[in-house]
Amino acid sequence: MLGGFYKARALGLAALAGLSVLSATLTPARADIGPYLVIDAATGAVLEEHEATRQWYPASLTKMMTAYVTLRAIRDGRLSLQSPVIQSANSLAQPPSKMGFKVGTQLSLETALRILMVKSANDIAVAVAETVGGTEANFIAMMNAEARRMGMRDTNFVNPHGLPDNRQISSAADLALLAMALKRDFPEAHSFYRHPGLKFGKQTLRSANREFLQRVPGADGLKTGYICNSGYNVAASATRNGRTVIAIVLGAGSGLERTAFSRQVIDRGFRTRGSSTTVTMLPRAGTPPPADGYCKRNRKPGPDEILARFDMASPQKSRSAVMALSNLDDSKPIMPGMPQQSGSEPGEDGEDVPASKGKGKVDWAMILDRTVGVEQIAYAPATVSVGVAKGQAPAAPVAPNAPAAPALAEVAGSARPAVRLPVSKPLDLRPSSLVPGAVAEPAPGAIFRALNPPVKPAPRP
């Protein structure tokens, strides 16, 4: 009798094990966020973090440093906002996202910065680098010098845009230092990254960060990025009641997951009043970046999973919404991670969000309302155009076959660059009023005053 009992129990356990294996086979693995860090922008206090010092690929978050080096060149008087930027053969050869202007096209540095930060155009990143540094290689050396000065311990740049190159690495902590420096040293420059899109002639170029900027209260930046080896990255910031919180989120499985998670941790950051640990106090992890093909392993979460994890409504409403999504079409149920027949999620390139609610379609507008927030501001793109201001000297001609940036060893061992590099010194996170002997930063708007006479661009060798 007991033998029969144990036999039945064994069969039952085997059946349960079989069901567990079957369930594990049918249920995709949960999508994961990679390293992230939330800080107080004024003090650098850590509000929340996960693997913040692990090395990661920055992707287009690289362009924050490209913008910083350029703004410093303007502040130092080497360039002005109206200095011409020229499209070279080298810049035009960069992969998308890009503007694709023909070789020889000129635009103002102000326009180039706006395109760089809003549209994330890789060709413009290289054109700006060539304008500021004289050569792309010189500019990369300037980027790395700034990284050392800021105390970015795990960062190395080999290009100005963030396109795939496994030598180009950073960390959430380092990128937080960069975001802090950009917002603190150039507060007036928020006009370059707060726009949800650009208008160029009859074209509308939407920012991949537009949903965050339009829906999150107080949102004021900063930059998104994506390559397969990094997943979906973002440096996000918001200011409420005079306090700014910055979130660096790396390795999300989709653009919507990145935006919803950023909103979630920034909201939590505002509810946290501070910490005795600052970003510079975080111990180095020494953990290598993810193996190649990260995006193929980190599954994109489906709409029901996004709602279940990030819905700001009540749990009951969240469950109802998930059930509604799963029954849009009885013959084609929406399952987590399964490709949809129609409707698509907003992605890195900032494509339109389908708003239709017909049978078999996902109501992404509803999901955005519930997981990121309802629109706070209307979509208002900034207008940009090519050409330079009257009276500006044209940019120096560029050789039709300008060489690409050399390898890392060549950059490190190159001769002195045409543009003098900044003095390397540690970055003090305290306000200038608290640092003995510190020189006050220029008042907001100082580098943009029209009274400053324009200067010629840096000479090209």
Side-chain angles (χ1 to χ4, degrees):
M1 181 175 178
L2 288 176
F5 169 77
Y6 286 120
K7 183 177 180 180
R9 184 179 180 185
L11 290 173
L13 291 173
L16 287 174
L19 287 174
S20 298
V21 171
L22 180 62
S23 175
T25 303
L26 294 179
T27 304
R30 180 185 178 279
D32 289 324
I33 298 289
Y36 69 90
L37 172 65
V38 186
I39 61 169
D40 187 301
T43 64
V46 175
L47 307 177
E48 186 176 344
E49 67 92 17
H50 171 69
E51 295 187 327
T53 58
R54 179 186 177 181
Q55 291 182 338
W56 205 266
Y57 301 114
S60 282
L61 300 195
T62 297
K63 295 182 175 83
M64 292 193 295
M65 180 60 86
T66 303
Y68 186 94
V69 172
T70 302
L71 291 166
R72 180 159 183 170
I74 295 171
R75 189 178 69 186
D76 292 348
R78 300 199 300 270
L79 295 165
S80 79
L81 283 173
Q82 298 309 313
S83 294
V85 174
I86 187 171
Q87 178 86 300
S88 68
N90 181 38
S91 60
L92 180 59
Q94 305 306 309
S97 171
K98 62 195 292 184
M99 297 301 291
F101 299 138
K102 66 180 182 179
V103 173
T105 300
Q106 296 190 39
L107 58 158
S108 70
L109 190 51
E110 179 178 11
T111 296
L113 280 169
R114 192 157 283 128
I115 292 174
L116 176 80
M117 295 300 286
V118 177
K119 179 54 181 170
S120 200
N122 297 319
D123 54 348
I124 300 303
V126 172
V128 167
E130 293 172 340
T131 297
V132 177
T135 67
E136 185 182 359
N138 286 343
F139 188 83
I140 293 166
M142 297 170 71
M143 294 172 71
N144 284 311
E146 285 292 354
R148 291 192 297 272
R149 184 184 70 84
M150 293 179 189
M152 297 172 68
R153 302 171 298 180
D154 294 299
T155 295
N156 182 68
F157 295 112
V158 297
N159 64 54
H161 39 55
L163 285 170
D165 189 318
N166 284 4
R167 299 170 300 167
Q168 182 134 324
I169 54 173
S170 191
S171 68
D174 282 4
L175 292 167
L177 287 172
L178 174 56
M180 283 181 63
L182 183 60
K183 293 183 74 68
R184 181 197 61 227
D185 296 349
F186 304 104
E188 63 276 23
H190 75 282
S191 63
F192 293 130
Y193 47 74
R194 67 179 175 85
H195 295 291
L198 299 174
K199 185 176 181 182
F200 179 75
K202 295 182 179 180
Q203 299 182 60
T204 297
L205 310 173
R206 295 178 181 268
S207 166
N209 204 32
R210 74 183 186 278
E211 301 297 350
F212 180 86
L213 292 170
Q214 290 181 255
R215 295 172 180 273
V216 176
D220 49 17
L222 279 158
K223 188 73 190 72
T224 61
Y226 172 83
I227 58 174
C228 180
N229 279 358
S230 72
Y232 288 81
N233 298 345
V234 68
S237 66
T239 302
R240 302 173 190 170
N241 300 318
R243 184 187 183 205
T244 299
V245 170
I246 295 173
I248 307 295
V249 176
L250 307 176
S254 71
L256 180 52
E257 182 183 41
R258 169 182 63 188
T259 303
F261 186 78
S262 299
R263 164 70 191 256
Q264 186 180 78
V265 295
I266 280 180
D267 284 351
R268 285 204 297 260
F270 278 111
R271 295 194 295 268
T272 305
R273 295 314 306 171
S275 165
S276 59
T277 301
T278 64
V279 62
T280 55
M281 296 167 62
L282 293 171
R284 298 181 75 174
T287 310
D292 289 352
Y294 173 80
C295 68
K296 299 175 183 177
R297 299 188 302 275
N298 194 38
R299 180 187 54 79
K300 175 180 176 178
D304 47 357
E305 183 178 342
I306 290 288
L307 269 176
R309 291 168 57 194
F310 302 111
D311 194 354
M312 295 181 290
S314 67
Q316 182 60 42
K317 289 183 178 180
S318 178
R319 286 193 295 270
S320 299
V322 169
M323 291 180 66
L325 281 171
S326 299
N327 291 281
L328 287 172
D329 186 334
D330 291 339
S331 63
K332 298 182 180 70
I334 296 176
M335 299 295 292
M338 295 291 289
Q340 306 308 313
Q341 299 300 316
S342 57
S344 61
E345 182 186 340
E348 177 62 21
D349 292 332
E351 63 266 21
D352 290 338
V353 181
S356 59
K357 296 184 246 184
K359 191 174 184 181
K361 294 186 177 181
V362 177
D363 183 4
W364 287 112
M366 178 273 290
I367 295 177
L368 285 165
D369 286 348
R370 298 278 289 273
T371 61
V372 183
V374 297
E375 288 191 1
Q376 307 284 318
I377 59 174
Y379 177 75
T383 301
V384 296
S385 61
V386 296
V388 294
K390 187 176 180 180
Q392 287 292 316
V398 178
N401 293 308
L408 179 61
E410 296 177 50
V411 173
S414 61
R416 179 179 297 178
V419 179
R420 185 179 179 183
L421 297 179
V423 177
S424 179
K425 59 182 180 180
L427 180 66
D428 196 320
L429 296 177
R430 295 174 295 172
S432 58
S433 60
L434 300 180
V435 181
V439 178
E441 296 290 342
I447 68 171
F448 296 107
R449 289 176 185 153
L451 296 177
N452 294 334
V455 296
K456 294 182 179 180
R460 300 179 186 275

